Amino acid sequence: MASIPFVKDIHFTPGVPDRLAPGVRRVIANNPGPYTYTGSGTYIIGEGDVAVIDPGPDDNAHLEALLKALDGERVTHILITHTHRDHCGLAMKFAEATGAPLFGFGAHPIREKKHDAPALDEGADYSYAPDEIIGDSAVIEGPTWRLEAVHTPGHLSNHLCFALPQEKALFTGDHIMGWATTVVAPPDGDMSAYLDSLDRLLSRDDEIYFPTHGAPIENPKRFVRAVKTHRLMRDAQILDQLKKGRSTIMDITAAMYADVDKRLHGAAALNVLAHLIRLVRNRAVSCDGEPGMKATYRLSD
């Protein structure tokens, strides 16, 4: 398996702001878990008139911590990387408390929970709606800072990263996480789009990543290359499992992730489904009907 240089070491106190770079502060919510690691990090960009990236989960203690950290300052923009509740569940309350508008790619792509992927942690925020829809290359500016939106579909089709060119920094949301690989959960999560978005990051000149979960990532191109290699190796592993006669997602998942915490097997199965959808599209794998969790898969002739 590809060796991804995960960054497991992170020092912080929940609710207390840390300065990570000139003009970059982070406040981590107290929502640790198997999919959020030590919790959701909210980033404050600039001084005085500031932007806030990912207000985090709907938690009143985190709201109070953010307002305390921002005492005497004005929030001019609230930026959302994507519509999972551990990133934007607090968005509406935070916007009301600060008077700042919400900026994002759009509402959650799947409008009804019954049609969406299973909620692995807090799930999706179906009520979230940005005040202003922004897409790739959109520029958001303050007096001392300038952010650029980078559309990175894969984890979700509405996922945005935000670049801070003056620091050669990229706020990566869930597209790249320093402590673990990203879950790509159909029907909206798309493995081919995810790999394309990794290639897009490799074409950039960022020098540091700030994920919503986990510590900053230095030497980011090395990290992204390792993640891409890991994903392509998962393709190969799935093909090998099919060759050995395993034909269902649960059987393939149990074999491939035997050494992984069983609490994460639900997410692993969704990743396997995303890979299989990609392999069916590429005609390396066949199944009867549409690819799904209950389908039976085989190598194509």
Side-chain angles (χ1 to χ4, degrees), residues 235-256:
D235 275 352
Q237 284 184 316
I238 290 168
L239 293 173
D240 184 58
Q241 292 301 321
L242 292 171
K243 186 176 180 180
K244 291 176 178 177
R246 295 185 176 93
S247 60
T248 68
I249 285 176
M250 298 317 296
D251 284 347
I252 293 169
T253 301
M256 286 175 50

Side-chain angles (χ1 to χ4, degrees), residues 220-275:
K221 284 195 176 184
R222 174 187 171 217
F223 195 97
V224 174
R225 282 193 293 266
V227 170
K228 181 179 178 181
T229 298
H230 171 85
R231 285 299 179 198
L232 295 176
M233 289 179 71
R234 287 298 191 203
D235 275 352
Q237 284 184 316
I238 290 168
L239 293 173
D240 184 58
Q241 292 301 321
L242 292 171
K243 186 176 180 180
K244 291 176 178 177
R246 295 185 176 93
S247 60
T248 68
I249 285 176
M250 298 317 296
D251 284 347
I252 293 169
T253 301
M256 286 175 50
Y257 294 87
D259 59 345
V260 172
D261 186 338
K262 291 189 182 299
R263 294 180 301 166
L264 303 178
H265 277 205
L270 291 169
N271 275 336
V272 170
L273 173 58
H275 279 283

Side-chain angles (χ1 to χ4, degrees), residues 83-246:
T83 47
H84 284 147
R85 290 183 59 82
D86 55 318
H87 295 251
C88 70
L90 191 62
M92 307 300 277
K93 287 183 181 178
F94 186 64
E96 183 177 355
T98 61
L102 293 163
F103 292 74
F105 194 83
H108 190 66
I110 308 295
R111 298 308 302 147
E112 295 185 54
K113 184 176 182 178
K114 64 182 179 181
H115 298 308
D116 208 354
L120 298 174
D121 193 62
E122 297 183 38
D125 188 342
Y126 300 98
S127 65
Y128 164 78
D131 297 300
E132 185 168 336
I133 292 175
I134 56 173
D136 188 57
S137 302
V139 174
I140 304 97
E141 292 184 282
T144 61
W145 49 267
R146 180 178 185 271
L147 290 161
E148 299 173 0
V150 182
H151 186 212
T152 48
H155 177 64
L156 279 183
S157 61
N158 67 6
H159 195 287
L160 294 171
C161 295
F162 293 99
L164 183 64
Q166 68 197 57
E167 295 297 328
K168 289 203 169 184
L170 188 72
F171 299 87
T172 57
D174 275 357
H175 183 58
I176 291 289
M177 301 188 298
W179 68 284
T181 55
T182 297
V183 176
V184 179
D188 192 64
D190 186 295
M191 191 61 70
S192 292
Y194 184 75
L195 287 165
D196 288 344
S197 294
L198 291 180
D199 285 338
R200 175 142 197 225
L201 263 56
L202 289 172
S203 72
R204 296 178 51 83
D205 65 350
D206 308 296
E207 294 181 356
I208 190 167
Y209 289 169
F210 293 114
T212 299
H213 306 290
I217 300 167
E218 299 178 354
N219 197 351
K221 284 195 176 184
R222 174 187 171 217
F223 195 97
V224 174
R225 282 193 293 266
V227 170
K228 181 179 178 181
T229 298
H230 171 85
R231 285 299 179 198
L232 295 176
M233 289 179 71
R234 287 298 191 203
D235 275 352
Q237 284 184 316
I238 290 168
L239 293 173
D240 184 58
Q241 292 301 321
L242 292 171
K243 186 176 180 180
K244 291 176 178 177
R246 295 185 176 93

Side-chain angles (χ1 to χ4, degrees), residues 19-32:
R19 184 170 297 280
L20 303 181
V24 178
R25 288 168 282 169
R26 180 192 62 197
V27 182
I28 296 181
N30 190 19
N31 66 327

